[in-house]
Amino acid sequence: MPVNLSKPLRLKGASTTERKMLEDLQGNILGGHGRKATRHLFLEFGADKVKARAFVHALAPLVTSAAQQVKDAEVFQKTGVPGPPFVGLVISSEGYRALGVASKAPSPGDNNAFRDGMLARAGRLNDPPVAALDPAYRSRLQAMILIGAEPDSDTSWDSRAAEDTQTRILNIMGASARVVATEVGRAIFKSTGSSADPKLEGIEHFGYVDGRSQPLMLREAIDRERDTTDGISVWDPTFPIGQVLVADPGSPAPATAFGSYFVFRKLEQNVKAFKEAEEALGSDPQHGALGELTGAMLVGRFEDGTPVVLQDDEGAHNPVPNNFDYAGDPDGLRCPIHAHIRKTNPRGESAKKFAGVTVASERSHIMARRGMTYGRRDRIVDPTDQPTGKVGLIFMAFQNNLANQFEFTQASWANNPDFVAPGTGRDPVIGQRGAQPSAPLQLRDAWGDRNAGVAPASFEGFVTHRGGEYFFAPAKSTLANL
């Protein structure tokens, strides 16, 4: 019986075919690998294609499968002992060509995004010109090796386990490829909850809880969301595994070989400028002097994760709520339509406001995000310094169609100043302006008040795209048989 991509997968009781698929599928796709420290090695293969393919073949056994990731997670839950380092490998269309196996690359009807690469799509994405990118990302990337491991301690930025794994891989690689860039990631956290019951939540560098709302494609994860959080009755995070999986044409076992398209973007954050602008708006009488509520109305959540559409103060963070939509706030009186989380996941809103748009078509744009913060701060838990650069987000996401998911989300939602209502402005966090004119946000001076005053405010440019690429995560059997 073939793998059914049209529904979520239940790990317990998976069929023989599904188990074979999980053994061949790379980890991190159906669920995050969970490690707190990462290293990202970007490669250029050497001129000797035979040696380059031999390196990929030798690396294949080290690549963590989805099945192994599940086993490691089960051991950790029972014993508290983390699993071995996670290893993943993704290859761009340029990488397939450099390996001499372009015929094995996937070629879906995705408007040629994977074939062309991210640099060629800069106009659609409003990305900066090539000269403004980090030097390593001004030409096409060919492959990325992701290493995930645990830090040396809760207060350490370093991971000896990740470094040792990198050394092992580089020894295997030899002269068959060279590393053109390395990015080092480390999750950072904020203390939430009460003093009697403290919690640690992962945050991004601006200080906001991040990664709470994800598409869930494993039944066990869906059950946990329903039973241990605020539920799934309003916003259902249930998605089919086909949201991210596509058949891998390069494998000798096509019935059980699947991969996923992967987006990498290095997004640098100017924390100092963002927090100063946020504070200035929060104290400006023209915009209501709303304090922390102003930041929540830009992001869509308070720093502790409380959705601003639900309440006008923080404190609903244990667990961080996700069971909500915007049906009761169609005009953005509580959560402005320009808010980051509303722009990047309208939760059924576009189906209500646009003829021909269905809830299913809107949900088809959702990606499985696997981001990681990079750059060192003064502390790992509750960092309070405000760097002007050299920190940010390694944005990563899996999907089945680059044009319909990542590019649509960035171009038609985040960058679009008229979505889902005219004149709302761009996403104040990840919206890219490119050569387009500025689009001020229309900020209300009160929460939930239809008669509130509205005044324009400029709030953009605090996140800078430094480079990226489109990749594919092949099945392990493809890597082993190159």
CSV table of all heavy atoms in Angstrom, one decimal, residues 286-287 441-445 452-456:
chain,number,residue,atom,x,y,z
A,286,GLN,N,0.7,60.4,20.3
A,286,GLN,CA,0.0,60.4,19.0
A,286,GLN,C,-0.5,58.9,18.7
A,286,GLN,O,-1.5,58.7,18.1
A,286,GLN,CB,0.9,60.8,17.9
A,286,GLN,CG,0.2,60.9,16.5
A,286,GLN,CD,1.1,61.2,15.4
A,286,GLN,OE1,2.3,61.1,15.5
A,286,GLN,NE2,0.6,61.8,14.3
A,287,HIS,N,0.2,58.0,19.3
A,287,HIS,CA,-0.2,56.6,19.1
A,287,HIS,C,-0.7,55.9,20.3
A,287,HIS,O,-0.7,54.7,20.5
A,287,HIS,CB,1.0,55.8,18.5
A,287,HIS,CG,1.5,56.2,17.2
A,287,HIS,ND1,2.6,57.0,17.0
A,287,HIS,CD2,1.0,56.1,16.0
A,287,HIS,CE1,2.8,57.3,15.7
A,287,HIS,NE2,1.8,56.7,15.1
A,441,LEU,N,2.8,52.0,8.5
A,441,LEU,CA,1.7,51.3,9.1
A,441,LEU,C,0.7,52.3,9.7
A,441,LEU,O,1.0,53.4,10.0
A,441,LEU,CB,2.3,50.5,10.3
A,441,LEU,CG,3.5,49.5,10.0
A,441,LEU,CD1,3.9,48.9,11.3
A,441,LEU,CD2,3.0,48.5,9.0
A,442,GLN,N,-0.5,51.8,9.7
A,442,GLN,CA,-1.6,52.6,10.3
A,442,GLN,C,-1.9,52.1,11.7
A,442,GLN,O,-2.5,51.1,11.9
A,442,GLN,CB,-2.8,52.6,9.4
A,442,GLN,CG,-2.6,53.0,8.0
A,442,GLN,CD,-2.1,54.4,7.9
A,442,GLN,OE1,-2.6,55.3,8.6
A,442,GLN,NE2,-1.1,54.7,7.0
A,443,LEU,N,-1.3,52.8,12.7
A,443,LEU,CA,-1.4,52.4,14.1
A,443,LEU,C,-2.6,53.0,14.8
A,443,LEU,O,-2.8,54.3,14.8
A,443,LEU,CB,-0.1,52.7,14.9
A,443,LEU,CG,1.2,52.1,14.4
A,443,LEU,CD1,2.3,52.4,15.3
A,443,LEU,CD2,1.0,50.6,14.2
A,444,ARG,N,-3.4,52.2,15.5
A,444,ARG,CA,-4.5,52.7,16.3
A,444,ARG,C,-4.0,53.1,17.7
A,444,ARG,O,-3.0,52.5,18.2
A,444,ARG,CB,-5.6,51.6,16.5
A,444,ARG,CG,-6.0,51.1,15.1
A,444,ARG,CD,-7.0,49.9,15.3
A,444,ARG,NE,-8.3,50.4,15.9
A,444,ARG,CZ,-9.2,51.0,15.2
A,444,ARG,NH1,-9.1,51.2,13.9
A,444,ARG,NH2,-10.3,51.5,15.8
A,445,ASP,N,-4.6,54.1,18.3
A,445,ASP,CA,-4.2,54.6,19.6
A,445,ASP,C,-4.9,54.0,20.8
A,445,ASP,O,-4.8,54.4,21.9
A,445,ASP,CB,-4.2,56.1,19.7
A,445,ASP,CG,-5.7,56.7,19.5
A,445,ASP,OD1,-6.6,55.9,19.6
A,445,ASP,OD2,-5.8,57.9,19.3
A,452,ALA,N,-11.2,54.5,17.9
A,452,ALA,CA,-9.8,54.9,18.2
A,452,ALA,C,-9.2,55.8,17.1
A,452,ALA,O,-9.6,55.6,15.9
A,452,ALA,CB,-8.9,53.7,18.5
A,453,GLY,N,-8.3,56.6,17.5
A,453,GLY,CA,-7.6,57.4,16.4
A,453,GLY,C,-6.6,56.5,15.7
A,453,GLY,O,-6.1,55.5,16.3
A,454,VAL,N,-6.3,56.9,14.5
A,454,VAL,CA,-5.3,56.2,13.7
A,454,VAL,C,-4.3,57.1,13.1
A,454,VAL,O,-4.7,58.2,12.6
A,454,VAL,CB,-6.0,55.4,12.5
A,454,VAL,CG1,-5.0,54.7,11.6
A,454,VAL,CG2,-7.1,54.5,13.0
A,455,ALA,N,-3.0,56.8,13.3
A,455,ALA,CA,-2.0,57.6,12.8
A,455,ALA,C,-0.9,56.8,12.1
A,455,ALA,O,-0.6,55.7,12.6
A,455,ALA,CB,-1.4,58.5,13.9
A,456,PRO,N,-0.3,57.3,11.0
A,456,PRO,CA,0.8,56.5,10.4
A,456,PRO,C,2.0,56.5,11.2
A,456,PRO,O,2.3,57.4,12.0
A,456,PRO,CB,1.0,57.2,9.0
A,456,PRO,CG,0.6,58.7,9.4
A,456,PRO,CD,-0.5,58.6,10.4
